[in-house]
Amino acid sequence: EVQLVESGGGLVRAGGSLRLSCAASGFTFDDYAIGWFRQAPGKEREGVSCISSSDGYTFYRDSVKGRFTISSDNAKNTVYLQMNNLDPEDTAVYFCAANQSPCSGVATLALWYEHWGQGTQVTVSS
């Protein structure tokens, strides 16, 4: 059974940092792409970042470029999202998702991802 479990969310002041983790199990991690999405109250889910284990491809949405960094530790089957210089606009529930193909060209398409975690809340106060 494929499982994705997010952790690392919390409350932080603007300008602060958090590191989210997405621990995966039930599949061969090296073959998968992992994406991070977020959904704020009253807004649609949006793709934030993705990483493809097979080719090292990474993607960031414009609003997080230079502030967020995605990385993967294949030995631990875990993908991280390091979030620096957080802004209240980053407040949302963050989800990780997986698909057994590289994410280039489809990084922000939620329907493309096959498996989802339960989400972790990130709240940034001003």
Side-chain angles (χ1 to χ4, degrees):
E1 179 187 4
V2 173
Q3 282 194 321
L4 300 171
V5 179
E6 302 96 335
S7 62
L11 173 64
V12 65
R13 290 186 175 182
S17 298
L18 285 172
R19 188 178 78 158
L20 305 184
S21 299
C22 173
S25 62
F27 60 92
T28 304
F29 194 72
D30 291 358
D31 296 335
Y32 274 71
I34 302 292
W36 283 99
F37 286 75
R38 65 186 181 187
Q39 188 164 20
K43 295 187 177 181
E44 292 186 357
R45 189 169 298 190
E46 62 182 21
V48 176
S49 183
C50 81
I51 186 168
S52 297
S53 296
S54 59
D55 59 9
Y57 173 84
T58 59
F59 166 86
Y60 300 93
R61 69 180 299 110
D62 286 346
S63 62
V64 307
K65 284 180 181 177
R67 300 188 298 124
F68 290 11
T69 303
I70 192 169
S71 62
S72 89
D73 185 336
N74 289 3
K76 295 182 178 180
N77 277 17
T78 301
V79 168
Y80 304 98
L81 187 67
Q82 178 68 44
M83 306 187 296
N84 298 329
N85 193 22
L86 283 161
D87 184 272
E89 291 292 314
D90 297 316
T91 295
V93 178
Y94 283 70
F95 302 87
C96 65
N99 188 291
Q100 196 176 5
S101 296
C103 59
S104 57
V106 292
T108 60
L109 298 179
L111 292 176
W112 179 78
Y113 291 86
E114 298 174 317
H115 310 287
W116 289 82
Q118 82 290 349
T120 185
Q121 176 70 46
V122 171
T123 303
V124 184
S125 63
S126 57

